[in-house]
């Protein structure tokens, strides 16, 4: 018999065992519990029902084509203005060279995102994707957030459908989950006033799903948002998933304050991060995968998160891009070998399975 220190968790355990969907209030109760291990056990039970001991990782590389951005998000340490000395925009040739290095290292995925750069023509993106595909047809291009797609539709004066169709025709295979931040107002406007709102982010994700492409979803937590904001985020993602079903994976992103306009904040602690992984697993009953993104959690906490509902550690990353510039000063190079990823997973008592971006197993010839 499972023992809970918190009787509310016991009630929720009963509802989960009956296959019930948890309510907004139950989401709050999960966050407010002091019974961390009880919460973890609930999330782990759901995770093991879906995936057993399987824990996924992938071999990937991040590539940021430009750091020039008009959005001015308070949590971002990555963006620059065009006049800044350290602003950059990569040429398509640079991108193909970097993709070649990634493929030589065994990467199956290139994760491509950048700033909202008003100096680039739309053809830059179609050229970028078609050149990458021409050079490396098997490399999956997981590219552009809903915020970038929204910017393109407005800036280049195209319909959403046209933007998605042209980018997909050029080689965009799926979209990463960035730009979701926190949907709830007024928090969203306070941290990213110039980005599209939560409803628009969800609308675009739905349109990408309808075009037949998968996307991911994220939530940035541990800044000025409330617990209510977080649970609202889960409920809205879950409702969108009921409608269009194209989210593969949810990735909670632990806020890392250095180098941002919110650098006086402490960021989330370890307990908060484990709770966020667990509550997301329990609230997002229609998401298959919960990713413990080791770049933001740190390797050790990401490993522990595998016992709190996560079933994916993401990847080798290599040159982690937009999230890693200040992080790497503190923690060193943002890169993990396949061997290290596998050890983290196996030492946590799980089975490591290499996946591609859409969660097919990758079989490699033994060397
Ligand atoms: O939208 C920005 C977040 C996101 C900070 O889909 C920050 O597989 C923490 O979405 N501290 C972009 N987080 C990254 C992203 C992502 C990452 C890995 C995998 C996938 C995927 C998606 O990063 C932004 C924002 O929410 N972010 N600044 C920061 N200082």
């Amino acid at each position: 018999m499972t023992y809970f220190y918190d009787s509310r968790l016991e009630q929720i355990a009963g509802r989960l065992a009956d296959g019930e969907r948890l309510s907004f209030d139950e989401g709050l109760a999960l966050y407010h519990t002091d019974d961390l291990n009880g919460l973890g056990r609930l999330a782990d039970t759901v995770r093991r029902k879906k995936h057993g001991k399987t824990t996924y990782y992938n071999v990937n590389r991040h590539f940021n084509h430009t750091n020039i951005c008009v959005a001015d998000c308070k949590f971002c340490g990555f963006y620059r203005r065009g006049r800044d000395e350290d602003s950059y925009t990569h040429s398509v040739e640079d991108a193909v060279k970097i993709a070649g290095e990634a493929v030589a290292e065994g990467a199956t995925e290139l994760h491509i995102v950048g700033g909202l750069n008003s100096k680039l023509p739309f053809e830059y993106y179609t050229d970028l994707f078609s050149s990458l595909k021409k050079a490396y047809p098997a490399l999956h291009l997981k590219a552009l957030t809903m915020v970038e797609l929204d910017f393109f539709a407005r800036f280049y004066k195209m319909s959403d459908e046209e933007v998605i169709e042209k980018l997909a025709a050029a080689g965009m295979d799926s979209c990463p989950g960035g730009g979701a931040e926190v949907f709830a107002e007024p928090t969203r406007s306070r941290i990213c006033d110039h980005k599209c709102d939560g409803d628009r982010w969800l609308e675009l994700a739905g349109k990408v799903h309808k075009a037949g492409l998968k996307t991911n979803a994220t939530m940035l937590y541990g800044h000025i948002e409330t617990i209510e904001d977080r649970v609202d985020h889960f409920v809205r993602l879950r409702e969108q998933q009921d409608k269009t079903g194209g989210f593969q994976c949810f990735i909670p992103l632990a806020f890392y304050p250095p180098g941002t306009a919110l650098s006086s904040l402490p960021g989330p602690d370890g307990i908060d991060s484990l709770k966020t992984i667990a509550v997301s697993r329990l609230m997002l009953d229609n998401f298959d995968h919960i990713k413990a993104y080791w770049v933001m959690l740190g390797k050790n906490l990401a490993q522990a998160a595998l016992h709190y509902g996560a079933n994916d550690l993401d990847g080798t990353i290599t040159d982690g891009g937009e999230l890693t510039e200040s992080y790497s000063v503190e923690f060193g190079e943002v890169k993990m070998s396949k061997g290290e990823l596998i050890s983290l997973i196996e030492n946590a008592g799980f089975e490591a399975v290499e996946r591609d971006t859409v969660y097919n197993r990758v079989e490699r010839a033994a060397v």
Side-chain angles (χ1 to χ4, degrees):
M1 144 111 187
T2 313
Y3 184 79
F4 291 98
Y5 297 110
D6 177 345
S7 59
R8 193 75 204 277
L9 286 192
E10 198 143 1
Q11 284 167 10
I12 292 176
R15 300 231 315 122
L16 288 168
D18 292 341
E20 305 276 358
R21 173 167 272 194
L22 301 186
S23 67
F24 179 85
D25 285 344
E26 286 170 322
L28 295 182
L30 291 173
Y31 256 119
H32 289 304
T33 189
D34 290 329
D35 186 357
L36 179 69
N37 285 334
L39 173 62
R41 226 165 31 246
L42 288 180
D44 189 50
T45 304
V46 172
R47 178 248 202 261
R48 282 177 200 262
K49 251 190 219 155
K50 281 187 191 262
H51 302 288
K53 285 183 159 193
T54 298
T55 297
Y56 294 100
Y57 70 94
N58 71 344
V59 180
N60 62 349
R61 180 157 183 156
H62 284 221
F63 171 67
N64 302 127
H65 45 278
T66 181
N67 65 353
I68 298 174
C69 190
V70 296
D72 192 24
C73 299
K74 303 293 171 263
F75 53 79
C76 180
F78 164 72
Y79 81 92
R80 297 289 182 275
R81 296 298 187 204
R83 60 180 176 275
D84 292 335
E85 256 176 33
D86 52 352
S87 66
Y88 65 78
T89 300
H90 284 294
S91 65
V92 170
E93 292 70 37
D94 281 351
V96 172
K97 186 168 159 278
I98 288 166
E101 290 165 11
V103 168
E105 288 180 2
T108 56
E109 166 189 294
L110 194 62
H111 175 135
I112 308 172
V113 292
L116 307 181
N117 185 335
S118 55
K119 293 284 182 283
L120 293 174
F122 185 68
E123 290 66 39
Y124 170 85
Y125 298 93
T126 47
D127 281 356
L128 176 67
F129 297 159
S130 57
S131 302
L132 287 167
K133 275 289 170 198
K134 192 166 166 220
Y136 303 105
L139 185 65
H140 183 109
L141 304 182
K142 183 178 76 175
L144 305 175
T145 66
M146 299 310 108
V147 169
E148 288 166 286
L149 299 185
D150 168 67
F151 177 74
F152 293 174
R154 288 185 294 111
F155 190 71
Y156 303 117
K157 301 195 181 0
M158 290 159 70
S159 70
D160 299 338
E161 287 74 10
E162 201 182 345
V163 169
I164 296 164
E165 197 259 308
K166 288 198 158 132
L167 294 168
M172 179 176 82
D173 293 306
S174 70
C175 298
E181 323 310 359
V182 159
F183 297 141
E185 294 293 355
T187 305
R188 187 175 183 86
S189 293
R190 289 194 182 133
I191 58 169
C192 54
D193 197 18
H194 298 99
K195 263 184 185 168
C196 65
D197 69 14
D199 285 340
R200 174 74 176 140
W201 190 97
L202 289 162
E203 180 193 23
L204 269 166
K207 288 185 177 181
V208 176
H209 299 166
K210 284 196 177 134
L213 275 63
K214 300 286 187 195
T215 72
N216 291 337
T218 57
M219 176 179 76
L220 180 68
Y221 68 96
H223 44 92
I224 61 163
E225 85 289 1
T226 63
I227 298 300
E228 284 76 8
D229 291 344
R230 297 184 192 180
V231 177
D232 170 78
H233 198 85
F234 299 145
V235 170
R236 287 163 80 172
L237 281 175
R238 187 170 79 179
E239 285 170 357
Q240 183 62 48
Q241 182 77 326
D242 280 342
K243 288 186 209 147
T244 53
F247 292 119
Q248 307 200 91
C249 167
F250 176 70
I251 310 135
L253 292 168
F255 176 50
Y256 184 70
T260 75
L262 300 175
S263 61
S264 59
L265 297 179
D269 64 21
I271 300 296
D272 194 14
S273 288
L274 291 178
K275 281 186 171 182
T276 300
I277 294 275
V279 180
S280 63
R281 169 58 81 195
L282 294 169
M283 291 300 290
L284 296 176
D285 56 0
N286 52 5
F287 276 61
D288 283 340
H289 306 289
I290 304 291
K291 195 185 277 186
Y293 190 51
W294 65 263
V295 178
M296 303 323 295
L297 291 176
K299 294 175 185 177
N300 293 347
L301 196 59
Q303 183 187 38
L306 300 179
H307 284 277
Y308 287 78
N311 69 304
D312 189 343
L313 272 190
D314 201 75
T316 49
I317 312 282
T318 312
D319 189 5
E322 81 277 24
L323 291 184
T324 60
E325 273 155 26
S326 36
Y327 176 96
S328 56
V329 173
E330 196 171 333
F331 299 105
E333 194 188 10
V334 178
K335 179 174 180 166
M336 187 150 37
S337 71
K338 229 171 114 159
E340 197 182 348
L341 270 167
I342 293 170
S343 294
L344 282 180
I345 294 168
E346 290 182 349
N347 292 342
F350 293 98
E351 281 163 19
V353 172
E354 184 182 346
R355 63 163 176 88
D356 65 12
T357 311
V358 289
Y359 289 86
N360 298 307
R361 279 175 184 245
V362 173
E363 308 290 349
R364 293 187 190 260
V367 275

